[in-house]
Amino acid sequence: MSSNTDQETAPIAAPRNGSAGSVFRSFGSLFGGNNSDTNTRPQTPQSGDGYVEFGMQNPERSGRTLGTFAGVFSPVALSMFSALVFIRVGYIVGNAGLYITLLQFLIAYGILLFTVASVCAISTNGAIEGGGVYFMISRTLGLEFGGSIGTLFFFANVVGSAMAISGCTEGIMDNFGPGGHFVGDGATLPDGKWWRFLTSSIINTCQLLVCLVGAALFAKTSVIILGTVTVSLLATYISFLALGGNNDKIPVPVENTYYNQSTFLPYTGLSANTLSDNLGAQYGHDYTSNNKMVDFSTTFGVLFSGVTGIMAGANMSGELKNPAKSIPWGTLSAVAFTFVSYIILSFLMSCTTPGVTMRNNYLFLMPVNAWPPFTAIGILTATFSTGLSNLIGSSRILEALSKDQVFGSLLNFVLHGTWKGNPIAAVAVSWVMVECILLIGSFNIIAQINSVLFMLSYLATNLACLGIELTGAPNFRPLFKYFTWHTCLVGLLGTLIMMFVINPIYASICIILCLILVIALHLFSPATQAAQWGSISQALMFHQVRKYLLMLDPRKDHVKFWRPQILLLVSSPRSCCPLVDFVNDLKKSGLYIIGHVIVGDFQSVEDMEENQQWWSFLDHMRVKAFTEVTLSRSIREGVQHLTRLSGIGAMKPNTIILGFYDDEPPKDFFQNGSSPYKTDDFNAGEVHNFPIRRDGDPKHFKVQEYVQILCDTLRMKKNLCLCRNFQRLDKNFIAISKHVKYIDVWPINVFNPTCGDPFDMVSLFMMQLAVIMLAKWKHLRVRIFLCETNDERTVGTFDTQSPQMEIFSKLKLQQSLKELRITADIIEIEEWSRDSDFVRHARTLKQFTAQADNTLPEDDDGDETMNRSLLYMQRANQIIRDRSDQTALSFIYLAAPPKLTTKDFAARSASYVELLTELTADLPPTILVHGVSTVTSTTL
């Protein structure tokens, strides 16, 4: 790039890009009219529609036909009954005892209740689309967490479906297999591991056919199915109360090879002794899992897996007329209904059935029922409906993930495989994955995996609600009021703890998988969704950053902890990419602001907002910086605004960096084929964002204004850096080259070489910057050039051999560098004291150092003075250039510019810049430095 100020300081206005549209179309209306957090617009209703008045879409026309009972209560209740109610409650009570069983139900339903509160809060704070819980989490926690948790929630539904199918198969085999209740000595279904897998596959395929017909068919029949299960459950209650004991009524299952004391198990009916015996824990062996020992964690894992259906209603959110109203009421009522049902069932089992029976025949409810088909019907309907509900839920979540392009084009086939709103491809993928889980075989093992996955989903739901509550976001105004951050925290901790109680290995694997997905989505997923949805991480970071910024007190700053906080003034990013990239390394974890000035006034500029383009530029450059764009009537005034107002609190720029004012044409690094910064992202046909001055075009401001900006910067007590020749900077070449070896520091004020102190404030600032860059380019070394000069009194006599004129010796410089903990090579330069012509020409620069004088000396001729000054600068440039063959970067002492009150300021400004141009001509990338603050310390 051409490192002139015209590229890096002059203002260029650029048009603003339009933002992308919403991903989702609007579905339905909001309960209570709360529409603050949705990012979609409702479709315009037809004329005459009753919803026109409120600007909402008629739910009937959007395919939303389900109410609270059929759409939420029935699916949730059926999913929470699942295989547990008829198959595994006896297993839990028989092993854990009544007391621990009640405790486990309280823990499980406590976690569920707090999670339901979080779900209700989120679901009543805005419109809920298809995808249910995934939609809630992704729109609250953001793309990374939402996508990862949504993926795991998809797997949880797949495992839940496999678990229900496994329970259904177990019920079929125990009823119609060898020794089954309904077959007697007649023909039976063949039993065995692979026969059970075949039966499960047939059931899974039947569910696939129902899903292909459409989820609406299941939703319409869910009420009938729930009624059937409820009747079967009531028949079980009545049987416990009405029938007496029969010691040889319950057979030992054929697959139970552990229990061999008899072929039948006892049943007592209502008995105080039986209740007393069943109060405490009596853990035994699980005959369905290779006779593994049962403990608290396995019983709780099975119990929790059966009550994980609280999200079934949220999964149907795309079909609900009013999700914001139906999800809270339907879910809470279903939770209460199933809790009471389970407690009654557990108590009746403890009163009527000995523990040995419950431990050795998990389907003992069949023989004790007054009419056994009731139990068989209940098992088949409950498990089949739960499996179907989870299969539908998993397919809807997969469809939502594909619509959101969470994994890019990987799931596009799901969108293409949708027919009449039914995601056939998603259903097929879910069916295949259920088949894979069924290969595990054991119901109890699948149940533990299912519990951990659902708990992780519940943890994320509580985390989402907790986070948005703690941020205090004004737009978080849920209609559901029965929650606080305390309930969210208790639910979060409860799920986290119980995950590891159930199975620490499964829990660790799921959490690690979730983190891997978070990182992968953060790195590779498109950013458009994140910008549209919003992310709670942004709100939380704002909350914390604001708190710590208030705690950051500038009065407590100490030089030991100084770091550069940089404001880089640029014109067009196209021409200064290497400089922007370089300053990102120079900032040393400090503040970095890229400033830009637009010349004009508010009446003439229609659209000043350019932040979207600038943030895209920062993303392209991969720099950690902020941008500030200001509007003013002149560049000087705009730079004053940026210098004084950029930053916030104690985070304010202390160093201002500008490009150099010269005549070199700008270089477009976005279009250069060999440039590492090449991109077409900022080109729209013939229109280029961030336009640059073309060769031959006039500059945007004069040299006098440029020098005025330098003076203003120093008056505001800011360190000043001018960068030249950075179009030559190639960081990749420096990193691999064996020829480039040094970072050079020239701590001599070339404009006043009689001041030979290499440790004044400017020189120390240069050394600090050089050491910072040495940390980035570790293979380079710092060279400090010690320039010996004669005192002003001896310049006329050219007494070059006077040792008293050497202010600092090499030995003293080495000692000072050691105290500053700076490792550098010291190179002595003698031209300033040994070359008589060079010394004579140095006198001509006195006017630039004697700033108190406002006029040139009367006996000085202006042209002759300038000519001699240029000769001196050319000689100084030759000295530096001869020693820069292996130099990656040079820091040169920048003399203070002429004061604004100086007579003939315009002429002096032009001379000042002309001399600097001669000084830095044909050098490597060079930074002219003038420091005004102490930046180093020799003390602890």
Side-chain angles (χ1 to χ4, degrees):
M1 80 176 220
S2 177
S3 62
N4 62 5
T5 305
D6 206 7
Q7 310 162 50
E8 291 154 356
T9 308
I12 297 291
R16 182 188 179 191
N17 291 330
S19 60
S22 176
V23 175
F24 291 105
R25 63 183 178 90
S26 176
F27 287 92
S29 60
L30 292 176
F31 178 62
N34 184 358
N35 195 27
S36 59
D37 281 353
T38 181
N39 57 15
T40 59
R41 292 181 299 178
Q43 297 177 355
T44 304
Q46 297 293 327
S47 177
D49 198 322
Y51 290 82
V52 172
E53 179 182 355
F54 301 100
M56 299 184 296
Q57 184 182 0
N58 188 337
E60 299 293 339
R61 294 183 178 176
S62 64
R64 295 176 178 264
T65 59
L66 301 180
T68 301
F69 190 81
V72 180
F73 179 87
S74 295
V76 170
L78 283 172
S79 296
M80 295 185 73
F81 279 146
S82 65
L84 180 66
V85 66
F86 293 112
I87 297 179
R88 286 298 187 268
V89 174
Y91 159 82
I92 297 168
V93 175
N95 283 281
L98 181 62
Y99 287 154
I100 294 181
T101 299
L102 295 179
L103 175 64
Q104 290 182 346
F105 272 114
L106 288 175
I107 294 174
Y109 273 84
I111 293 173
L112 295 178
L113 187 63
F114 292 131
T115 305
V116 168
S118 299
V119 171
C120 294
I122 297 175
S123 63
T124 59
N125 189 58
I128 305 297
E129 304 289 349
V133 176
Y134 157 71
F135 184 89
M136 299 179 196
I137 296 174
S138 62
R139 271 47 173 189
T140 306
L141 290 182
L143 175 66
E144 295 90 350
F145 282 100
S148 59
I149 296 297
T151 303
L152 292 182
F153 191 55
F154 162 74
F155 286 121
N157 278 270
V158 168
V159 175
S161 181
M163 185 192 71
I165 293 173
S166 180
C168 186
T169 300
E170 188 173 321
I172 292 174
M173 289 300 174
D174 284 352
N175 288 314
F176 302 100
H181 188 82
F182 294 112
V183 296
D185 297 329
T188 63
L189 293 175
D191 197 1
K193 178 181 178 181
W194 293 107
W195 284 111
R196 291 199 174 209
F197 176 74
L198 177 61
T199 304
S200 299
S201 299
I202 294 173
I203 297 171
N204 191 24
T205 305
C206 292
Q207 293 183 356
L208 171 66
L209 296 177
V210 175
C211 289
L212 293 179
V213 173
L217 176 64
F218 166 71
K220 293 175 181 177
T221 60
S222 63
V223 177
I224 300 175
I225 297 174
L226 178 61
T228 304
V229 174
T230 304
V231 170
S232 300
L233 186 59
L234 288 175
T236 302
Y237 292 162
I238 295 172
S239 298
F240 278 134
L241 296 173
L243 298 181
N246 187 345
N247 290 331
D248 60 355
K249 191 174 184 179
I250 303 174
V252 177
V254 175
E255 63 177 320
N256 188 350
T257 59
Y258 180 79
Y259 184 82
N260 54 15
Q261 298 179 16
S262 64
T263 57
F264 289 93
L265 298 168
Y267 176 76
T268 64
L270 291 174
S271 171
N273 292 331
T274 302
L275 176 61
S276 177
D277 292 339
N278 286 329
L279 292 178
Q282 302 177 54
Y283 294 113
H285 293 80
D286 181 10
Y287 65 85
T288 65
S289 301
N290 297 322
N291 295 322
K292 291 182 179 179
M293 191 66 187
V294 180
D295 55 18
F296 179 92
S297 61
T298 55
T299 55
F300 184 79
V302 173
L303 181 150
F304 195 84
S305 68
V307 296
T308 53
I310 59 172
M311 304 300 193
N315 289 341
M316 302 295 291
S317 57
E319 285 79 26
L320 296 176
K321 292 180 180 178
N322 196 332
K325 179 180 179 181
S326 298
I327 291 175
W329 289 107
T331 305
L332 286 172
S333 57
V335 167
F337 172 68
T338 56
F339 178 73
V340 173
S341 301
Y342 277 126
I343 295 300
I344 295 174
L345 184 60
S346 300
F347 183 76
L348 290 176
M349 285 183 176
S350 299
C351 292
T352 60
T353 311
V356 65
T357 301
M358 291 186 284
R359 288 191 296 273
N360 290 285
N361 189 334
Y362 302 154
L363 276 78
F364 71 92
L365 289 181
M366 184 81 65
V368 303
N369 201 308
W371 191 56
F374 268 129
T375 304
I377 293 172
I379 292 173
L380 297 179
T381 53
T383 54
F384 186 86
S385 63
T386 301
L388 185 58
S389 175
N390 283 319
L391 186 64
I392 293 173
S394 61
S395 64
R396 295 306 185 269
I397 295 169
L398 187 62
E399 180 189 24
L401 288 169
S402 62
K403 282 184 177 180
D404 289 347
Q405 294 288 296
V406 171
F407 296 99
S409 59
L410 183 64
L411 298 178
N412 281 351
F413 72 94
V414 175
L415 295 179
H416 298 315
T418 301
W419 183 68
K420 293 186 177 180
N422 191 11
I424 296 175
V427 172
V429 171
S430 302
W431 177 83
V432 172
M433 300 197 69
V434 170
E435 284 290 301
C436 295
I437 300 299
L438 287 173
L439 290 171
I440 296 176
S442 173
F443 176 93
N444 291 351
I445 294 176
I446 297 175
Q448 292 188 51
I449 301 174
N450 181 66
S451 295
V452 170
L453 286 171
F454 270 104
M455 276 193 167
L456 188 59
S457 302
Y458 298 164
L459 184 149
T461 304
N462 285 299
L463 177 63
C465 193
L466 174 65
I468 197 170
E469 174 71 7
L470 291 180
T471 60
N475 282 326
F476 187 57
R477 297 186 297 272
L479 300 180
F480 183 83
K481 303 298 182 183
Y482 302 102
F483 83 101
T484 66
W485 69 268
H486 303 86
T487 61
C488 302
L489 182 61
V490 172
L492 187 151
L493 294 177
T495 53
L496 182 62
I497 293 171
M498 297 314 296
M499 279 174 61
F500 286 91
V501 169
I502 292 172
N503 194 307
I505 296 177
Y506 294 163
S508 300
I509 292 174
C510 288
I511 292 176
I512 292 173
L513 179 60
C514 180
L515 293 177
I516 292 174
L517 286 171
V518 168
I519 296 172
L521 290 175
H522 177 74
L523 294 177
F524 302 111
S525 64
T528 54
Q529 283 83 358
Q532 292 167 1
W533 303 344
S535 174
I536 198 171
S537 60
Q538 296 294 311
L540 289 172
M541 284 189 285
F542 177 88
H543 186 269
Q544 292 300 108
V545 167
R546 171 188 167 276
K547 179 175 72 174
Y548 288 116
L549 273 176
L550 292 172
M551 296 171 62
L552 191 62
D553 191 345
R555 295 169 296 183
K556 298 179 181 179
D557 284 346
H558 194 279
V559 66
K560 290 187 297 185
F561 309 110
W562 181 91
R563 68 181 68 242
Q565 306 203 86
I566 298 172
L567 170 62
L568 172 63
L569 299 171
V570 304
S571 169
S572 173
R574 289 178 176 274
S575 59
C576 61
C577 292
L579 181 58
V580 171
D581 196 9
F582 169 80
V583 175
N584 186 60
D585 294 335
L586 185 65
K587 70 180 186 301
K588 190 60 177 178
S589 301
L591 179 68
Y592 181 17
I593 300 175
I594 298 176
H596 176 67
V597 179
I598 300 175
V599 176
D601 55 56
F602 284 101
Q603 294 180 350
S604 61
V605 177
E606 295 182 0
D607 184 10
M608 178 187 165
E609 187 63 50
E610 294 185 327
N611 283 342
Q612 194 70 31
Q613 295 178 24
W614 284 95
W615 284 112
S616 298
F617 169 69
L618 297 182
D619 292 338
H620 170 65
M621 293 296 299
R622 298 181 180 178
V623 297
K624 299 177 181 178
F626 302 96
T627 60
E628 288 287 351
V629 180
T630 189
L631 177 68
S632 65
R633 292 182 176 85
S634 68
I635 293 178
R636 180 188 179 189
E637 181 182 343
V639 172
Q640 290 174 350
H641 294 168
L642 293 173
T643 304
R644 293 174 57 238
L645 301 178
S646 294
I648 183 172
M651 295 188 66
K652 306 283 284 187
N654 56 30
T655 303
I656 312 300
I657 299 181
L658 300 89
F660 195 76
Y661 192 99
D662 59 23
D663 294 323
E664 295 185 27
K667 181 178 179 181
D668 190 344
F669 286 92
F670 289 171
Q671 297 296 306
N672 191 307
S674 62
S675 169
Y677 312 104
K678 186 178 186 303
T679 179
D680 293 324
D681 293 345
F682 302 96
N683 301 330
E686 297 297 327
V687 180
H688 289 182
N689 294 334
F690 306 124
I692 61 174
R693 178 179 64 87
R694 298 301 176 184
D695 192 16
D697 292 345
K699 296 185 177 181
H700 297 284
F701 64 108
K702 298 184 180 299
V703 64
Q704 179 180 349
E705 187 176 5
Y706 177 72
V707 178
Q708 288 172 337
I709 291 173
L710 306 186
C711 295
D712 294 340
T713 301
L714 298 178
R715 288 179 63 196
M716 287 185 273
K717 305 300 181 184
K718 306 292 185 183
N719 303 308
L720 177 63
C721 296
L722 306 182
C723 297
R724 191 181 186 195
N725 299 327
F726 271 81
Q727 78 277 7
R728 303 176 184 175
L729 182 67
D730 188 338
K731 291 172 56 177
N732 296 329
F733 176 77
I734 293 174
I736 63 175
S737 175
K738 295 182 179 180
H739 178 74
V740 179
K741 299 180 180 179
Y742 303 111
I743 298 175
D744 292 345
V745 177
W746 295 83
I748 181 172
N749 184 354
V750 182
F751 279 61
N752 187 11
T754 57
C755 296
D757 183 1
F759 291 100
D760 65 358
M761 195 171 294
V762 177
S763 300
L764 289 175
F765 182 58
M766 280 196 295
M767 293 180 192
Q768 183 76 293
L769 296 181
V771 171
I772 290 174
M773 288 311 302
L774 190 62
K776 294 292 183 181
W777 296 333
K778 298 182 184 298
H779 63 291
L780 303 184
R781 292 186 58 82
V782 174
R783 294 191 301 184
I784 299 177
F785 291 89
L786 178 61
C787 304
E788 299 177 2
T789 61
N790 287 333
D791 187 84
E792 184 183 5
R793 293 170 298 177
T794 65
V795 166
T797 62
F798 314 122
D799 185 5
T800 61
Q801 305 300 321
S802 177
Q804 62 180 349
M805 295 301 100
E806 296 182 6
I807 300 179
F808 274 85
S809 66
K810 183 176 181 180
L811 181 63
K812 188 172 183 181
L813 177 57
Q814 289 175 337
Q815 182 63 30
S816 299
L817 290 175
K818 184 177 180 181
E819 293 176 359
L820 291 169
R821 304 169 305 285
I822 297 175
T823 302
D825 300 331
I826 300 175
I827 309 296
E828 294 182 276
I829 304 295
E830 298 181 353
E831 276 84 344
W832 263 274
S833 61
R834 300 293 175 88
D835 191 327
S836 58
D837 291 335
F838 189 51
V839 172
R840 184 184 302 109
H841 291 319
R843 297 183 57 195
T844 62
L845 295 178
K846 181 179 180 181
Q847 65 268 34
F848 292 105
T849 58
Q851 294 294 334
D853 294 337
N854 290 332
T855 60
L856 289 170
E858 295 180 359
D859 57 347
D860 278 353
D861 178 72
D863 292 339
E864 179 64 22
T865 298
M866 189 60 194
N867 290 334
R868 274 187 271 171
S869 299
L870 289 174
L871 290 174
Y872 167 71
M873 283 299 179
Q874 290 169 2
R875 177 61 180 143
N877 170 262
Q878 184 65 42
I879 293 172
I880 298 173
R881 190 151 34 95
D882 290 344
R883 292 160 177 81
S884 300
D885 180 57
Q886 296 178 302
T887 301
L889 178 67
S890 294
F891 292 92
I892 298 179
Y893 194 117
L894 175 66
K899 287 188 176 181
L900 295 172
T901 56
T902 303
K903 185 178 180 181
D904 297 329
F905 177 79
R908 287 173 176 263
S909 299
S911 299
Y912 176 77
V913 173
E914 187 175 0
L915 292 172
L916 290 178
T917 303
E918 291 294 335
L919 177 64
T920 57
D922 298 323
L923 293 182
T926 301
I927 304 180
L928 297 164
V929 180
H930 192 96
V932 297
S933 58
T934 304
V935 297
T936 59
S937 173
T938 60
T939 61
L940 289 177

